[in-house]
Structure formats: C-alpha cells, structure tokens
C-alpha cells in the first residue's frame, strides 16, 4: 500500500514536471539575439544577481531590474551600469559589454512585469495574470 | 568509525563557522558598501556566505544520515570505500568552490554562484554516496521506521533537484526567460524539501533514541505527514515565483498545496504539550535542548511561511527582507538547531565537563535571544520595504531604502551576538571532537 501510494505520487510528479517544462511560459517567442546571450553570460560572470533581483529573486542590496529598461530607459540604464554610483560598484565594463547587458535586461523586460498590480488579485488570494498580452 | 568520518564532521562544523563569519561581514558590507566595493564587495561575500550555509546544511545532514543509518543498518561498515570516496571528492570540490570565490570568479546562478563546471564533481560525489547508501538500504527487510524512508527520499530528491537545477545548460530551457526561471525555482525550492527529509529523518531517529520508544517512528500519523511533506516538496515551490507571469495554473497548484501546510501547523499546536512529555530527557540534555528549540522555530517560521504563501500577501513580502527572514529563520532556527543537536548526540557531548556544559548553556541562551531580534528585524525591514514600494509606490531606490537600512543596523548588531554564541558552541564541539577516541566513535 505504502509503496503504491509512493509510486503513484512519483508518477504524478514526473508528468507534472514534463507538462510544466513544455507549458509554463506564455508561448510568446521573444527572440534571443546574440547580444542578449552575451549580456546574459556577463550578468552571471559579474554576479549582478548577488545585489539585484529579477522578478524579486536575488540579493537585496540593489533594486529589482526586471523592468528597468522600461521605466528608466535604455540610455540611463547603460549609464548606471557603466559608471556605478557610490553604492553600486563601477565594474570597469567596456561600452560593448554595457550594451550587451542592456540588451539582456530589455529581453527580460519583455517577458513580463515584476510588480503585480492590485486588480490582478483574485478574492481567493491568488493572482489572475493575463499572460496573452 | 574511521578518522575520515571525524574529518567530515570537522569539515561540516568549519563550514558553519565560515557561514557565520562571511554572513557577519556581508551584513556590514550591505550597510556600508562604499568602504568595501574595492576589497571585499557584497557580490563576493554573499555567495561565500550562502554557499557555505548550503554546504554546512547538506554536509551536516549527510553526516547525521550516515552516522544514524550506520546505527540502524550498518551502512558505513558495509560501504566504507564508497562513502569515503564521496566524502573526499565532496570536500575537495567545495574547497575549490571557495578558491574561485576568493579569486572573484563566479558562475552567477542564485545560491550556486560558482563556475558551473564544479557541479560535475559535486554530482559525481553524490552519485557515489547514493550507490553506497542504496545497496545496503535495499537489503533491509523491515523498513517500517519512517526515518529509513525519509533518509532515502532525501538522498534521491537531492540528486533529482541538483540535476534539474543544471538544466539551464540545455539551450531550450533558456529560450524563454519564464521557463528558465520556473525550472530554476522549481529545483531550488524542492531541494530544500530534499535536505529537510534527511534532517527530519535524523530528528525522528533521535527522538526515538532519546525517548527509548520505537513506536514513535511507525505510527500512521508519521506516515501521513511524510506523504504530506513529500507532496509539498514536489509541488509547493511555486510560491517563489507567484509574481512571474507564467500560466495561471502554476500559481493555483502551488497555492493550493502550500495551504495544506496548515495541517502541519494545526497538528503542531495540538501536539505541542504531548511532545514535551514524549521525550525522556535522561542523558541527552544538550541534544534535547537543540531539538526542542527547533520546534519553537518551526512554529514561528511556519506561521511566517503560511502568510507569505498567500499571493495577496506575497505581493508585499516578495523581494523584501521577509524572504531573507524566512530563509535564515528556517536554515538557522530549524536546520542548524537540529543538526547541532544531532552532532552533539554523535559526539556524546554530555560527557564534557561541567564548566563547558555551563558555557554551552550560556552560548545557547545568547544565540536564541539575539537570533530572535535578528529575525524580527529582518521581518520589520521587509514590511517597511513592502509598504514603501507597493503601497507608497516609491521609485527612488535610495529614498525607499533609507529607513529600511536603519532597521537593518539592528539586524547586523544582533548578528554579532548570534555569531559569538554559535562560535562558542562550535569551539566546544570541536574540542570534544578532538578528544574523542576514533574507535569509540559510533562503535556498534
Ligand atoms: C547558521 C547560520 C546562517 C545560515 C544557515 C544562513 C543562511 C542564509 C541564507 C540561506 C541566505 C539567503 C537568503 C535569501 O536569498 O533569501 C542568507 C543571506 C544572508 N545572510 Fe545568512 N545565514 C546564517 C547566519 C548569518 C549571520 C550570523 C548573518 C549576519 C550577521 C547573516 C547575514 C546574511 C546576509 C547579509 C544575507 C544576504 C541578504 C541579502 O541578499 O540582502 N547570516 N543567509
């Protein structure tokens, strides 16, 4: 009995996992250009994630950057990354590297919005986010 | 047991000490980054702290699993070579991870911030451990005691989630940012459930040992809660990514599953008193103290976690220090307390002299009180940030964070005392580890 419940649960888990991998995103294709890939690699190599969040996930020293290119614009984002501030370190990046990072952040921005607006909260406490837009 | 196993306990305790020192440094660098950006910046200290914490917990959990499983079914005596190979490769790889961190070379994945090729030796060593463990495990005739199942479950799911955590190397997973993020947090979230299986298994085993009552580990209730926590391990991770615009059903499933944790909550309240009577403390006062305080922390953190798992509340808490309160509240308050209790039991810590016992007592009190302040100030900082960013909709980061940093100063000061208290306990443990005779160790 115990074993049967276990195996059943495990099979549900496996099917859910596979279904999830295929269907979790919105199905909207956002092309991954070369600059995006380069920016993504740099994001990991410089460990921006240790101080910043994307969709609220990461370290908390700096602000969430999910939609930074939308709210601040690509130019001002580039300036921040290039020179840093007192608190944000100047990471000595070349202009090309900065542009790649901006391309990556714009790509992330297109995937959605980090803050959930109030009108998306359902009475049961969950969110209903319209993923088609 | 062999000196190698003693070495492994030493390694785990040193990882805990490293966690504390890097964490303490990180907390001050967080407040005054300008002074450290050119020497020991936050992007270096945070991974050092978080990786040390994960490795302390996983190493500590495997230490306990190996030792107690050896008492239960001689796993160590039967698979000595394999387990030694695991320990050796595991330790060497982790030391390499820290060499990379010191050289400021990162792989930049959340919680696993080292260059990603190092995942290969970690995975190989885990496979060595799995093979060494399952061979004798499969041969056990009576698997009634649930701790046997819990240990084996933890080992299996650590393997699965570790693999999943590395799926991003396959390009298809990275074609969509939403998919990449979902898979990463699925893996990270479930991995916590995996090590909890090993740790709660060890704590159940200890309860049996301390109370002398074998039946505790074989009740229908324990079985039920095993399945409930396994279900949560498999499906509740979605609360990490409620705000990510994945398909809506991803949210609904994890919201629903997360809410089943209320059952743990209710059962804890109901059994709180009877649990205390269940223990017969006799000769295990120190391990007992650690185990019972972990129950209090479990209760407090479960309350917080249940709140955060309601999306409407998560909207305020996500991306704030409340997440950090949850992460450290559980890893220090629950995991580290159980592990310190279990390692104390392994070291027969009751045999230390009176003066040292008093010192542990003292350090224990300092740790708990300062840790409570530490935890509360993280929550306060989180509430403040949530309120200012969501309710007041502040967009200037500096302005939003100004009062939050004030609160975090309290956190950093409390952190000093958490570190002092825990370090004192570690030092006494290390001294005991040094004194204890190798062969007398877990002799059975
Ligand atoms: C057993 C001891 C400890 C363990 C297991 C532990 C564990 C952790 C974990 C898992 C995180 C990641 C949190 C997240 O991403 O949400 C973290 C972050 C952190 N911890 Fe600890 N911790 C310990 C002790 C300490 C102490 C004593 C201090 C400070 C005095 C400290 C300071 C920090 C800081 C500053 C962060 C980064 C938070 C951020 O991203 O802004 N930790 N710790």
């Amino acid at each position: 009995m115990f074993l049967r419940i276990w195996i059943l649960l495990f099979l549900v888990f496996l099917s859910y996992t596979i279904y999830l991998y295929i269907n979790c995103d919105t199905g909207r294709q956002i092309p991954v250009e070369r600059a995006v890939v380069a920016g993504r690699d740099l994001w990991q190599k410089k460990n921006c994630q240790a101080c910043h969040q994307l969709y609220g996930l990461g370290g908390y020293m700096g602000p969430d950057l999910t939609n930074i290119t939308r709210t601040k614009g690509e130019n001002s984002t580039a300036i921040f990354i290039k020179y840093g501030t007192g608190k944000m370190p100047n990471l000595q990046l070349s202009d090309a590297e900065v542009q790649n990072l901006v391309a990556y952040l714009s790509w992330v921005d297109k995937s959605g919005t980090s803050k959930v607006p109030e009108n998306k909260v359902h009475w049961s406490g969950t969110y209903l986010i319209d993923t088609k837009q | 047991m062999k000196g190698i196993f003693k070495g492994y306990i030493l390694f785990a305790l040193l990882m805990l000490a490293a966690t504390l020192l890097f964490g303490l440094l990180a907390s001050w660098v967080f407040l005054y980054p300008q002074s450290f950006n050119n020497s020991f910046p936050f992007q270096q200290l945070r991974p050092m702290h978080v990786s040390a914490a994960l490795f302390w917990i996983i190493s500590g959990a495997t230490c306990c699993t190996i030792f107690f499983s050896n008492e239960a079914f001689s796993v160590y005596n039967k698979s000595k070579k394999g387990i030694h190979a695991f320990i050796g490769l595991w330790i060497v790889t982790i030391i390499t991870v820290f060499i990379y961190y010191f050289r400021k070379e990162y792989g930049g994945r959340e919680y696993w911030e080292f260059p990603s090729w190092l995942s290969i030796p970690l995975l190989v060593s885990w496979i060595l451990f799995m093979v060494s463990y399952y061979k004798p495990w499969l041969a056990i005739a009576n698997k009634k005691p649930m701790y046997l199942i819990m240990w084996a479950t933890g080992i299996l799911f650590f393997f699965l989630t570790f693999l999943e955590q590395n799926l991003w190397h396959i390009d298809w997973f990275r074609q969509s940012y939403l998919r990449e993020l979902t898979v990463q947090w699925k893996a990270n979230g479930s991995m916590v459930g995996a090590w909890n299986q090993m740790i709660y298994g060890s704590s159940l085993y200890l309860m049996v040992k301390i109370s002398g009552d074998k039946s505790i580990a074989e009740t229908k209730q324990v079985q039920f809660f095993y399945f409930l926590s396994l279900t949560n391990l498999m499906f509740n991770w979605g609360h990490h990514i409620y705000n990510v615009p994945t398909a809506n059903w991803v949210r609904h499933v994890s919201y629903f599953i997360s809410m089943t944790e209320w059952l743990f909550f209710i059962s804890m309240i109901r059994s709180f008193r009877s649990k205390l009577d269940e223990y017969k403390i006799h000769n295990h006062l120190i391990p007992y103290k650690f185990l019972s305080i972990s129950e209090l922390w479990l209760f407090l953190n479960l309350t917080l976690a249940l709140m955060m798992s309601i999306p409407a509340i998560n909207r305020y808490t996500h991306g704030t220090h409340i997440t950090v309160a949850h992460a450290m509240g559980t890893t220090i308050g629950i995991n580290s307390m159980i592990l310190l209790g279990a390692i104390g039991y392994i070291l027969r810590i009751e045999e230390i002299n009176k003066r040292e016992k008093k010192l542990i007592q003292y350090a224990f009190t300092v740790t708990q009180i300062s840790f409570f302040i530490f935890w509360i100030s993280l929550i306060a900082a989180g509430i403040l940030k949530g309120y200012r960013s969501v309710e007041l909709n502040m967009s200037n980061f500096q302005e939003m964070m100004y009062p939050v940093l004030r609160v975090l100063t309290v956190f950093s000061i409390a952190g000093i005392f958490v570190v002092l208290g825990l370090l004192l306990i570690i030092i006494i443990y290390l001294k005991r580890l040094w004194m204890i005779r190798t062969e007398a160790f877990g002799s059975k």
Side-chain angles (χ1 to χ4, degrees), chain A residues 49-51 53 57-62, chain B residues 15-17 19-30 42 45-46 49-54 56-57 110-111 185 195 320-333 335-337 340 371 374 378 408 411-420 422:
Chain A
Q49 186 90 13
C51 299
Q53 311 103 62
L57 303 160
Y60 298 108
M61 186 178 192
Chain B
M15 272 294 130
L16 174 59
T19 308
L20 293 167
L21 293 176
F22 295 138
L24 183 62
L25 270 172
S27 73
W28 289 97
V29 171
F30 188 103
F42 192 71
L45 279 167
R46 187 179 190 271
H49 172 60
V50 176
S51 293
L54 293 191
W56 142 244
I57 288 168
E110 178 70 341
Y111 298 153
W185 285 91
W195 73 58
T320 72
H321 280 85
I322 292 188
T323 312
V324 186
H326 166 64
M328 287 208 261
T330 49
T331 51
I332 304 176
N335 296 339
S336 299
M337 290 307 131
L340 284 173
F371 182 47
F374 179 96
L378 283 172
L408 286 176
F411 154 79
S412 298
I413 293 171
I416 298 175
F417 293 92
V418 174
V419 171
L420 289 178
L422 284 175

Side-chain angles (χ1 to χ4, degrees), chain A residues 35-107:
Chain A
V36 173
V37 175
R40 181 167 73 189
D41 290 345
L42 205 58
W43 173 268
Q44 287 189 201
K45 219 174 114 201
K46 296 290 171 188
N47 216 10
C48 310
Q49 186 90 13
C51 299
H52 290 287
Q53 311 103 62
L54 293 175
Y55 285 105
L57 303 160
Y60 298 108
M61 186 178 192
D64 187 302
L65 297 180
T66 318
N67 305 117
I68 192 75
T69 53
R70 196 188 313 170
T71 52
K72 298 266 161 90
E74 298 200 345
N75 285 339
S76 105
T77 303
I79 292 172
F80 247 110
I81 299 176
K82 175 87 184 168
Y83 300 105
T85 66
K87 295 198 161 181
M88 151 108 182
N90 178 342
L91 293 159
Q92 317 286 349
L93 301 169
S94 71
D95 288 339
E97 287 176 322
V98 172
Q99 284 315 318
N100 291 339
L101 280 166
V102 173
Y104 175 59
L105 289 174
S106 302
W107 180 71

Side-chain angles (χ1 to χ4, degrees), chain B residues 114-129:
Chain B
F114 45 81
S116 58
W117 67 269
L118 285 162
S119 296
I120 298 170
L122 284 179
L123 188 66
V124 171
S125 68
W126 197 265
I127 292 173
L128 284 169
F129 178 44

Side-chain angles (χ1 to χ4, degrees), chain B residues 236-250:
Chain B
N236 85 359
W237 49 268
H239 50 225
H240 293 283
I241 54 164
Y242 279 149
N243 65 329
V244 176
T246 53
N248 280 312
W249 54 266
V250 177

Side-chain angles (χ1 to χ4, degrees), chain B residues 3-212:
Chain B
I4 293 181
F5 187 75
K6 262 177 90 170
Y8 194 36
I9 299 181
L10 172 70
F11 175 76
L13 289 172
L14 289 179
M15 272 294 130
L16 174 59
T19 308
L20 293 167
L21 293 176
F22 295 138
L24 183 62
L25 270 172
S27 73
W28 289 97
V29 171
F30 188 103
L31 295 175
Y32 303 103
Q34 292 95 327
S35 320
F36 295 90
N37 269 346
N38 294 321
S39 50
F40 234 174
F42 192 71
Q43 75 266 32
Q44 183 178 20
L45 279 167
R46 187 179 190 271
M48 290 176 111
H49 172 60
V50 176
S51 293
L54 293 191
F55 289 135
W56 142 244
I57 288 168
I58 301 164
S59 303
T62 44
C63 256
C64 297
T65 302
I66 294 171
F67 187 90
F68 296 141
S69 299
N70 196 48
E71 285 194 352
F73 63 99
S74 309
V75 71
Y76 184 72
N77 297 340
K78 286 176 187 155
S79 309
K80 214 167 263 174
K81 268 197 190 139
I83 289 181
H84 284 175
F86 153 67
I87 292 176
L89 187 56
W90 182 255
I91 292 180
V92 169
T93 312
I94 292 172
I95 292 174
T96 315
V97 164
F98 280 90
I99 293 176
Y100 274 96
Y101 284 157
F102 271 107
R103 295 163 49 103
K104 297 189 168 54
E105 287 180 44
Y106 315 108
R109 304 290 295 179
E110 178 70 341
Y111 298 153
W112 305 91
E113 295 166 81
F114 45 81
S116 58
W117 67 269
L118 285 162
S119 296
I120 298 170
L122 284 179
L123 188 66
V124 171
S125 68
W126 197 265
I127 292 173
L128 284 169
F129 178 44
M130 272 197 351
V131 173
S132 321
Y133 192 89
Y134 284 133
K135 252 174 99 184
W137 186 87
L138 286 171
I140 310 171
N142 171 17
K143 294 198 188 67
K144 277 261 163 63
M146 282 307 292
Y147 45 78
L148 295 173
I149 310 277
M150 292 163 83
W151 288 326
T153 307
I155 294 171
L156 174 68
F157 275 90
F158 183 82
F159 172 71
L160 295 177
T161 52
F162 194 82
L163 276 183
E164 191 173 39
Q165 200 268 118
N166 276 293
L167 283 177
W168 61 274
H169 289 289
I170 301 170
D171 204 48
W172 180 74
F173 285 94
R174 310 193 85 183
Q175 291 295 320
S176 144
Y177 187 66
L178 298 183
R179 185 185 301 127
E180 174 179 350
L181 205 61
T182 306
V183 174
Q184 187 187 354
W185 285 91
K186 175 180 188 292
N188 278 341
S190 299
M191 189 181 279
V192 173
W195 73 58
N196 277 337
Q197 288 282 343
M198 284 188 268
I199 294 176
Y200 293 154
S202 300
S203 129
L204 184 60
Y205 179 84
L206 269 185
M207 281 190 211
V208 170
K209 280 283 152 173
I210 293 177
S211 67

